[in-house]
Amino acid sequence: MAPKTLFGLLIFLILLVTSTAFSFLFQGFNNKESNFTLSGQSNIDQHRGILELTRRENNIFGHAFYNKPIKIRNASVPQTRVSSFSTCFVFSIVSLSSRPGGFGLAFTIAPKTNFPEAEGGHFLGLFNTFNDMNASNHILLVEFDTVNGYKDEIDTEGNHVGVNINGMNSTRAEAATFFEKGQKEEFNMEKADFVCAWIEYDGKTNILDVTIAPHLDPKPSQPLISQAIDIKSVMKESMYFGFSASTGKRKASSHYILGWSFSLNGVAPPLNASLLPKPPPKEKDPSSFPWVKVVISVLSALTFTLLCLLFFVTLYKRYTTFETLEDWEMDCPHRFRYRDLHLATKGFIESQLIGVGGFGSVYKGVLPSTGTEVAVKRIMRSPRQGMREFAAEIESLGRLRHKNLVNLQGWCKHKNYLLLIYDYIPNGSLDSLLINKNFALDWDQRFHILKGVAAGLLYLHEEWEQVVIHRDVKSSNILIDGDFNAHLGDFGLARLHSHDQVSHTTSVVGTIGYIAPELTRTGKSSTRSDVYAFGVLLLEVVAGTRPVSSSGQFFLVDWVLENRQLGQILEVVDPKLNSVYNEEEVELVLTLGLLCAQHKADYRPSMKQVVRYLNFDDPLPDITDWRHYDSQSSTASFGFYDARSTGKTTTSYSISSIGRTTMSIESGR
Ligand SMILES: *[C@@H]1O[C@H](CO)[C@@H](O)[C@H](O)[C@H]1NC(C)=O
Ligand SMILES: *[C@@H]1O[C@H](CO)[C@@H](O)[C@H](O)[C@H]1NC(C)=O
Ligand SMILES: *[C@@H]1O[C@H](CO)[C@@H](O)[C@H](O)[C@H]1NC(C)=O
Ligand SMILES: *[C@@H]1O[C@H](CO)[C@@H](O)[C@H](O)[C@H]1NC(C)=O
Ligand SMILES: *[C@@H]1O[C@H](CO)[C@@H](O)[C@H](O)[C@H]1NC(C)=O
């Protein structure tokens, strides 16, 4: 062998050593774990033989690097060029067909294999906000991104390929296209079954070529990117080669590598498509999986059954706990649904209770349909008979409307209860205001209240289509609103009379102290007996004293009359007024009270006349004409003794009113 040839062989051997040709080829990754450094969420799917960088799961990333660092340059000689390399790989991006995925995958050359401080999403698990684009990263990557969004002005295409150095700001980016027969063809990397990529770096010319295609053969003749790029400053002496991928907070795709070949200072060995593992199917929509369909149909069936059950339970509950209607009830516009009242009063709970009396309980409520405040009076009712007639009566009472009445809005029957729905009046009853030690109604307020009650009573007696006798005019039945207007309430006791009929009720109803004398003897209510009670009320409001003392020794009417006869009528005025009042008005009210509360019914004025007197429209008749009264000073009270001794009325101040009315209706008709 000639020494010249020997020398040539030596040169060749030296060249071979310095250029350190090196290559590998992975057609699938079965049993190749030992050849890789995996980090993050990446793993090798032994079943399919594919390298899985990320699952379709939000906010994760994964890396897979060839486990040995590859010596790419001699760093101790700054001028030494970076070795040429060539690589080819096949990847697959799988997302739901109905929803676009994210984020991306990158071929990565890095000085390390682990990036614990990196973020997912558009940082691909390699960088974070602080070290993005920092030259100390020493990372070169070729990204295959499917998401448009990060730094739109640079990476303009969602479906793009980019060359990046040290960060996510691409040195060069191109929409995903390939050249075939001289034609530029765009293709969607996410929709393609798989993508083949070739990356070649020429250490002599510093040109990086990137080529992609949706197939391995043939490799497109023209690269997508051909970029002059000096990577000397990026490359350390030894670098790890591999892949990174990430998913976003909301967008996620699975990223798979199916095969990979690499060569340093040479051409990457070709991958054989028929030997590569099959990528997982694209259609991963839940609906496309039979078992998901089964689960969904089972769930739907279950839901349907539950809904049916719920429906029947509700129906059953409504049927049993809520009312069943009789035919006639359908025609009652003032009938309320029990369900609404139950809701309005929160199920008649204690905290909604605003009053309790012999008649039952009164609850405050807010109607769910309109949001209006109401008072709901709940009364135990006697047997079913007579209900229809009672309802008819309530229906007609429900049509009464006056500003000085506590208007009855409606009614409802439920089991053994009768419920009456009234306007809610906030300030409470007149009697509670009169006896309140910490509060005094002034004279103007009292006079205004009395005029209001008179107006309400006049409406009942004469101004409505039928004569309505209240039968229980008393201070506790008068409610006062925020503007000190009087509202006469509880005319549930009232019996309806057509104008030409006379009442023949047998039971005596009313409250001690307000019961006209003739009532206890004849039991006959009339508008005049209401006037009597109103007369007592006039005196009560001026004097601030109950009409009868609880001992039964004191009678307001007698006391006022005595003082009047002694010429000192103003002596009876409520001391809480502090002598601040209009004398003329007070005298008028007291005198009118006596006039109304006189023994003989026929001599009492009508409510129309009362209203005229209160307005000073007519002068009061001369007191000397009241002869029948003068001689009856004790007879006026006789009726009460009579009533108490015969036991016809209860001694309680608040007699059960509605309950008795119901009874009287039931027995009377
Ligand atoms: C992969 O690892 C195995 C076992 O360590 C080794 O024999 C083989 O040469 C490696 N292959 C490559 C391409 O490095
Ligand atoms: C790097 O280059 C220097 C200077 O030419 C040389 O001495 C050294 O052996 C080289 N190192 C390698 C690993 O090739
Ligand atoms: C780049 O990173 C290095 C090392 O982490 C740090 O010292 C330097 O300040 C960083 N430079 C910039 C511009 O952030
Ligand atoms: C990103 O790249 C563009 C040009 O490609 C450059 O103008 C810009 O300054 C770069 N931004 C950063 C943060 O490096
Ligand atoms: C690819 O592999 C198949 C099966 O082993 C073989 O028949 C075929 O010739 C190979 N193709 C190439 C281009 O090597």
Side-chain angles (χ1 to χ4, degrees), residues 24-26 32 34-35 66 68:
F24 55 75
L25 170 68
F26 296 101
K32 302 292 187 211
S34 61
N35 299 105
Y66 183 68
K68 291 189 197 82

Side-chain angles (χ1 to χ4, degrees), residues 326-342:
E326 292 166 38
D327 289 345
W328 58 268
E329 290 183 77
M330 304 295 185
D331 306 325
C332 301
H334 292 94
R335 195 185 60 77
F336 276 63
R337 289 194 304 178
Y338 180 71
R339 198 156 51 106
D340 292 343
L341 299 178
H342 196 265

Side-chain angles (χ1 to χ4, degrees), residues 282-337:
K282 286 281 167 190
E283 294 296 312
K284 275 199 143 183
D285 255 346
S287 53
S288 63
F289 287 90
W291 64 270
V292 174
K293 274 183 189 159
V294 169
V295 167
I296 284 175
S297 36
V298 165
L299 279 178
S300 327
L302 219 74
T303 314
F304 181 74
T305 316
L306 279 173
L307 279 177
C308 281
L309 218 73
L310 205 74
F311 177 74
F312 283 117
V313 164
T314 319
L315 215 74
Y316 175 78
K317 263 184 103 173
R318 203 190 262 200
Y319 197 78
T320 51
T321 65
F322 296 114
E323 65 256 60
T324 46
L325 294 183
E326 292 166 38
D327 289 345
W328 58 268
E329 290 183 77
M330 304 295 185
D331 306 325
C332 301
H334 292 94
R335 195 185 60 77
F336 276 63
R337 289 194 304 178

Side-chain angles (χ1 to χ4, degrees), residues 133 151 154 169-171:
M133 300 309 288
K151 293 189 177 174
I154 304 147
N169 194 358
S170 301
T171 306

Side-chain angles (χ1 to χ4, degrees), residues 18 71 74-77 80 237:
T18 50
K71 193 171 171 331
N74 188 338
S76 49
V77 188
T80 319
E237 188 167 359

